[in-house]
Amino acid sequence: MIRLALCDDHALVRAGLVQILATRKDFQIVGEAADGPALITLLRGQAVDVVLLDIGLPDASGIDVAAA
């Protein structure tokens, strides 16, 4: 089972990704975040294998968030 976290500032994008990925039995979505700080908080409390991260977040670059 691959544990995923999603981070995108657009709720519709997150909802679409959740809907698509929920059909896969080998993926488990463990959390969603709308911004960098929320993602970092989420990752501190969850075991995650993969993060789908928008690089164009309004509060910080997704690249900076990934580095953090």
Side-chain angles (χ1 to χ4, degrees), residues 6-54:
L6 308 174
C7 182
D8 195 293
D9 55 318
H10 297 96
L12 188 58
V13 172
R14 289 193 318 272
L17 287 169
V18 167
Q19 187 174 14
I20 291 167
L21 295 170
T23 64
R24 300 288 309 256
K25 296 179 187 206
D26 51 342
F27 292 143
Q28 176 188 13
I29 300 168
V30 297
E32 301 176 44
D35 57 35
L39 177 65
I40 291 170
T41 300
L42 171 71
L43 294 177
R44 287 188 178 136
Q46 291 286 335
V48 175
D49 299 312
V50 175
V51 176
L52 295 178
L53 176 59
D54 181 4

